[in-house]
Amino acid sequence: NLLTLLVGSIVISITVYLPIWSQGVLGKSATAAGFVLMPMPVCWTIGSLLSGNLVGRLKTHSILTLGTAIVSTACFMLFLVSTHSPVFLIYVAVGVLGLGMGIITPIFMLVIQSAVPASKRGVAVALNTFTNTFSQTLGSAVFGTVFNLVTLSQAKKLGQENLNASFETGGVPAEELSKLHEILASGVHIIYSGTFLAALLSFAVSCFLVKTRHEKIKNVSVQK
């Protein structure tokens, strides 16, 4: 459930703020800003198929560790993105994120159902589903607050306190438009930093689950 909370927050934050980066910083159209998310569902499907093939070959907790490592790699790639980075790097990062999420999402249900008695599986699955939904609300609220605080602080430093100007061509002078791009870039970069930290935490949690699982198996073997 903790892993579900963390990775759910990562996905919703990147889904919300990556189009802002594409439109507000790179100057892409709304269509292009939406298209930048296209690799995620495609690679998510591929990751789900790969996850199904890994079940039985690897332990479920090991698959979770693999998936969170891939998600952490994707978040690190987005953390490195700057206004001068090639656009294809963003597509690759989003695709890698979708691949990692596709690997770990099906495993959540397997781990949860095997961790509780049959009489409590319905409650356990419902709790995980609620956690997944709540993670989107919590991620949007937390990262949204951070984004607002950073952009407002940066706007005051640059003397650009009116952030309601239009981004259309000719809507604002070139100098002010450059400041707006810088303000948005600083805010979104903080979001990328936060998602990278959340990804590292999710990887640490998955490693802890693997260690705990191995200790339980060892204890059972000793008792026998």
Side-chain angles (χ1 to χ4, degrees):
N1 285 327
L2 179 58
L3 276 175
T4 300
L5 184 68
L6 290 171
V7 298
S9 300
I10 291 171
V11 170
I12 191 62
S13 301
I14 291 178
T15 302
V16 170
Y17 290 100
L18 193 57
I20 293 178
W21 177 275
S22 181
Q23 254 189 299
V25 178
L26 301 182
K28 303 294 183 180
S29 64
T31 302
F35 188 73
V36 76
L37 296 173
M38 185 62 68
M40 184 184 295
V42 175
C43 292
W44 197 311
T45 303
I46 296 174
S48 299
L49 296 175
L50 178 61
S51 180
N53 291 325
L54 291 176
V55 173
R57 300 181 182 181
L58 297 176
K59 296 179 180 179
T60 53
H61 294 72
S62 299
I63 299 176
L64 284 179
T65 303
L66 173 63
T68 52
I70 295 175
V71 171
S72 299
T73 301
C75 292
F76 180 66
M77 294 173 66
L78 288 174
F79 172 74
L80 295 178
V81 168
S82 66
T83 54
H84 304 291
S85 300
V87 179
F88 80 87
L89 179 62
I90 298 179
Y91 285 93
V92 172
V94 173
V96 173
L97 176 65
L99 180 65
M101 291 300 302
I103 290 176
I104 63 179
T105 302
I107 305 301
F108 285 154
M109 289 300 154
L110 293 179
V111 174
I112 289 174
Q113 292 181 18
S114 64
V116 296
S119 60
K120 296 184 179 180
R121 286 177 183 171
V123 177
V125 171
L127 176 60
N128 184 257
T129 303
F130 168 78
T131 304
N132 185 39
T133 304
F134 179 71
S135 68
Q136 300 178 29
T137 304
L138 181 64
S140 300
V142 172
F143 285 110
T145 301
V146 173
F147 178 79
N148 289 337
L149 291 175
V150 172
T151 51
L152 290 175
S153 175
Q154 190 69 12
K156 291 181 179 179
K157 290 181 181 179
L158 297 177
Q160 183 68 36
E161 299 185 8
N162 182 18
L163 299 180
N164 297 320
S166 172
F167 279 80
E168 297 178 359
T169 303
V172 293
E175 182 179 354
E176 292 188 15
L177 187 60
S178 176
K179 290 182 179 180
L180 290 174
H181 287 170
E182 184 178 347
I183 292 169
L184 286 178
S186 62
V188 177
H189 188 266
I190 291 296
I191 301 300
Y192 291 162
S193 302
T195 54
F196 179 50
L197 291 176
L200 290 179
L201 182 57
S202 68
F203 178 71
V205 171
S206 65
C207 291
F208 175 78
L209 289 177
V210 172
K211 182 178 179 180
T212 304
R213 180 69 173 178
H214 288 170
E215 290 178 351
K216 287 182 178 179
I217 294 175
K218 183 179 179 180
N219 292 335
V220 171
S221 301
V222 171
Q223 290 176 1
K224 289 182 178 179

